[in-house]
Amino acid sequence: MLTKFQQKVYDAVRKIPRGKVASYQQVAIFLGKKYATRAVGQALNKNPFAPKTPCHRVVYKNGQLGGYKFGCRNKRQMLLKEGIKFNKNNRVLSKYFLKIK
């Protein structure tokens, strides 16, 4: 059974388009819970709808991949297939971050 917060996180993450990423912090801010970054990560770790709910598109604000239920190697591969590019330090380039207004 999902909590209301988990459902809100999954609904928000479904809005991240293919070829873009958002940070855990951006998702928390979008939900109006700017200090809930870890809670967003915990909710995504329990995501029963992956990859339909694309939690692989959520990364750290510095571009590092963060965790992924199916392993960071798979997360990176999925992002590469969506056209996301990485720098030499294996971080997502900033131009792929979703601009949240």
Side-chain angles (χ1 to χ4, degrees):
M1 180 151 179
L2 300 176
T3 67
K4 286 182 183 180
F5 181 76
Q6 287 172 320
Q7 189 60 54
K8 287 179 182 181
V9 169
Y10 303 147
D11 290 344
V13 170
R14 282 188 203 104
K15 294 177 182 176
I16 303 170
R18 182 178 180 85
K20 291 289 185 182
V21 297
S23 71
Y24 295 96
Q25 184 179 49
Q26 284 178 302
V27 174
I29 291 169
F30 178 78
L31 296 174
K33 307 272 187 193
K34 73 178 188 175
Y35 297 110
T37 302
R38 284 188 180 184
V40 167
Q42 290 170 343
L44 293 176
N45 185 48
K46 294 177 170 68
N47 178 8
F49 309 111
K52 185 175 179 177
T53 298
C55 56
H56 66 280
R57 294 183 187 148
V58 183
V59 299
Y60 291 141
K61 65 182 176 181
N62 68 2
Q64 286 182 302
L65 291 179
Y68 185 58
K69 177 177 178 171
F70 303 108
C72 285
R73 177 182 233 160
N74 285 331
K75 184 174 188 173
R76 187 177 194 283
Q77 289 303 314
M78 292 174 81
L79 292 173
L80 285 169
K81 285 181 184 176
E82 293 183 5
I84 305 243
K85 300 214 184 310
F86 295 80
N87 68 17
K88 63 181 179 167
N89 295 319
N90 203 32
R91 293 182 183 186
V92 174
L93 298 175
S94 61
K95 71 180 187 176
Y96 296 102
F97 274 84
L98 193 61
K99 304 291 187 245
I100 297 177
K101 299 172 185 166

